[in-house]
Amino acid sequence: MSEKIKHSGVVESVDGDCMKVRILQTSACAGCKAAGVCNAAEKKEKVIDIYGRKAMNGHKVGDTVVVTAANATGRKAVMIGFGLPLVILVVVLAITYAVTHSEPLAALVSIAALVPYYIIIYICRDRLKRDFSFAIDS
């Protein structure tokens, strides 16, 4: 198994120490011959920011590059984006229901408990941007 996640893309812009690369993210079954008529096969265009002069390596707008990230980065992103919010939601739901015996109140409180979590994520966005870094494969 590869230790890196790789996507090929096209350099969209280079501005200072930030390079924007447009990638086409495809699902695992997008390469299937029936993908054109199947609803399960999906493709999404995304723009990835790559920071640092070292990563640019003389690339200019229109160049085709390979964007890489460590597998651990993907797992960490899934945990922060989905795992922890799910745990918070379930724990707060269970505790609130055990205390109040009101399902609607427990549901509202558990959803409201996610607001501080996402505010913290927003406040820490610059640190997360450094932690979730992408690079250009040579």
Side-chain angles (χ1 to χ4, degrees):
M1 181 187 273
S2 175
E3 291 298 318
K4 292 193 178 240
I5 301 166
K6 296 183 179 186
H7 290 286
S8 61
V10 177
V11 176
E12 189 171 84
S13 69
V14 178
D15 183 31
D17 68 341
C18 178
M19 179 169 52
K20 294 187 181 293
V21 178
R22 181 173 300 279
I23 64 168
L24 183 63
Q25 183 182 16
T26 56
S27 66
C29 58
C32 175
K33 292 180 181 178
V37 294
C38 179
N39 290 334
E42 64 179 57
K43 296 180 182 180
K44 296 178 188 173
E45 270 194 1
K46 297 200 176 182
V47 177
I48 305 294
D49 292 339
I50 300 171
Y51 295 96
R53 291 263 179 218
K54 186 174 91 173
M56 306 218 184
N57 201 14
H59 294 291
K60 57 188 179 301
V61 176
D63 286 354
T64 301
V65 295
V66 176
V67 177
T68 63
N71 269 342
T73 302
R75 286 190 296 272
K76 187 176 177 182
V78 169
M79 191 57 145
I80 290 172
F82 298 104
L84 291 176
L86 178 64
V87 169
I88 292 169
L89 189 80
V90 170
V91 168
V92 172
L93 179 71
I95 291 170
T96 306
Y97 183 72
V99 171
T100 66
H101 299 290
S102 170
E103 289 179 4
L105 180 63
L108 288 173
V109 170
S110 63
I111 291 171
L114 294 177
V115 172
Y117 176 77
Y118 285 112
I119 288 172
I120 291 169
I121 294 294
Y122 181 77
I123 290 169
C124 297
R125 69 186 178 278
D126 291 332
R127 179 172 175 237
L128 291 172
K129 198 181 290 186
R130 285 191 308 267
D131 289 348
F132 295 107
S133 60
F134 294 90
I136 300 295
D137 200 15
S138 320

